[in-house]
Amino acid sequence: MAEESDAAQQADELCALQAIYGEEAVRVLEAGPGAAAYAFSVPDAAEQPRLEVRAHLPASYPSQHPPIVELECGLLPPDVLTGLAAELEAMFVPGEVVLWTWLEHLRERWADLAPQKQASGREEPAGAGSDADAALAAELQAAELLGGEGGAAGSQAQCRQHREGDAELEAALAEVAGTVVHAEPFTEKRSTFQAHLAPATSMKHVEALMELLLQNNKIRAATHNIMAYRIEQADHGTFLQDYDDDGETAAGGRLLHLLQMVDARNVCVVVSRWYGGILLGPARFTHINNAARELLDACGYIAAKDGKGSGSGKGKKR
């Protein structure tokens, strides 16, 4: 019975990882009960240098034993790799799947450990990405996104006409307007990403968040505004949850999977992407989900292992 449960949890975990990172990013080396093995690249397979991760899943995972992990990076000393493997093993709790937690931990650690890229390997001049980030951030700030004054006035007038007579939406707009949080935008290969979120306990809150965001000309002009929400229905022990790809096929479903994986509750998250002309392939899903995850974490929506995650969305508006 335990073996059947382990096999089912392993299969569910694989589906969730593929939904979050993309099927191409989760390489299945072996499949089947007692012989499953996966490979991942951190930060992704297109980066140099990168950390190669192989996880071998015993038949007794996750009920009793953790995956056996192998880490490989020719530019990191063996003692660093050994230390990273020990950190991963210490995170395992019997009965709980752990691969997503491992990958996110490695991504965070990689930011500090990654050897410097060779200048010849850069696709853009030094500082080009940060300059684009700063320019977009300044433009969003100048537009006064939640709009008391300035650039969104025309859109606000149209929205007022559209919702005239909808008292519930008017009330939801008033509630959501003071709670929206915006992450700093970042640029990868000329595509810019920015996450936004707000607490949501009803569909009117979801509708209000989208209306407020789209009042901003820059966000409205984004190539995609990918959205997902997850609202707890405490009386029924269920969740009201859904997503919108906004033309980025499968991105919304992956975003919702992220909310489910981290057990984020009563929140709506939106990731805007401005396409810059260079195809990113499966890496775009990683950037979208990483943007959302970092903002969810900063705002307390990701529950810590000790249960101290608040989920209250008390982060600072940026």
Side-chain angles (χ1 to χ4, degrees):
M1 197 67 117
E3 291 182 1
E4 292 180 4
S5 176
D6 283 332
Q9 289 188 71
Q10 290 183 21
D12 289 345
E13 182 179 35
L14 174 60
C15 289
L17 291 172
Q18 289 176 331
I20 291 173
Y21 299 113
E23 293 185 7
E24 300 87 348
V26 183
R27 305 188 296 279
V28 179
L29 305 179
E30 297 180 61
Y38 311 139
F40 313 88
S41 299
V42 175
D44 61 60
E47 291 291 326
Q48 285 289 356
R50 62 177 179 263
L51 176 65
E52 295 295 343
V53 185
R54 285 182 291 276
H56 302 266
L57 279 54
S60 55
Y61 167 77
S63 63
Q64 299 178 50
H65 301 107
I68 299 168
V69 63
E70 298 178 31
L71 303 176
E72 181 181 338
C73 178
L75 298 180
L76 289 180
D79 61 321
V80 172
L81 296 176
T82 300
L84 282 175
E87 291 175 14
L88 299 182
E89 290 172 5
M91 293 178 179
F92 174 69
V93 176
E96 297 182 10
V97 294
V98 76
L99 291 180
W100 180 83
T101 302
W102 281 8
L103 288 173
E104 291 305 308
H105 178 72
L106 289 173
R107 288 177 186 279
E108 291 176 3
R109 296 284 280 117
W110 183 253
D112 298 323
L113 295 173
Q116 287 294 111
K117 294 182 181 180
Q118 297 298 319
S120 60
R122 298 184 64 89
E123 297 189 9
E124 298 182 3
S130 59
D131 289 347
D133 294 348
L136 179 57
E139 188 171 351
L140 290 168
Q141 184 176 9
E144 296 193 18
L145 180 62
L146 294 179
E149 305 170 359
S155 296
Q156 289 174 357
Q158 292 176 358
C159 288
R160 279 194 295 271
Q161 289 180 348
H162 176 71
R163 65 175 182 264
E164 188 174 347
D166 190 338
E168 281 189 71
L169 181 56
E170 287 282 3
L173 284 163
E175 293 172 5
V176 171
T179 64
V180 183
V181 184
H182 311 282
E184 294 296 329
F186 65 90
T187 300
E188 291 289 341
K189 296 181 180 177
R190 299 181 186 173
S191 277
T192 299
F193 301 84
Q194 185 185 30
H196 327 268
L197 67 72
T201 56
S202 71
M203 284 304 302
K204 287 297 182 182
H205 287 151
V206 174
E207 187 179 345
L209 173 61
M210 293 307 300
E211 182 167 317
L212 285 167
L213 291 177
L214 295 178
Q215 287 175 10
N216 175 262
N217 292 334
K218 187 68 177 179
I219 291 179
R220 191 167 63 252
T223 313
H224 310 287
N225 285 300
I226 303 110
M227 180 271 290
Y229 62 86
R230 191 166 186 254
I231 300 171
E232 187 174 15
Q233 307 287 285
D235 293 342
H236 305 286
T238 59
F239 288 90
L240 180 64
Q241 53 192 6
D242 205 350
Y243 61 87
D244 180 8
D245 291 328
D246 193 29
E248 183 70 287
T249 303
R254 286 172 164 85
L255 198 55
L256 178 57
H257 268 283
L258 174 66
L259 297 183
Q260 294 166 339
M261 287 282 288
V262 302
D263 195 24
R265 305 181 180 208
N266 298 325
V267 65
C268 179
V269 62
V270 180
V271 178
S272 302
R273 180 194 179 189
W274 292 267
Y275 177 61
I278 297 177
L279 294 174
L280 299 183
R284 68 190 187 279
F285 299 122
T286 300
H287 297 318
I288 291 167
N289 273 28
N290 280 349
R293 190 195 68 81
E294 289 178 8
L295 187 56
L296 287 164
D297 192 22
C299 294
Y301 283 98
I302 298 180
K305 287 291 183 183
D306 58 10
K308 293 181 180 178
S310 67
S312 61
K314 294 182 179 178
K316 295 180 180 179
K317 186 166 62 179
R318 291 183 285 175

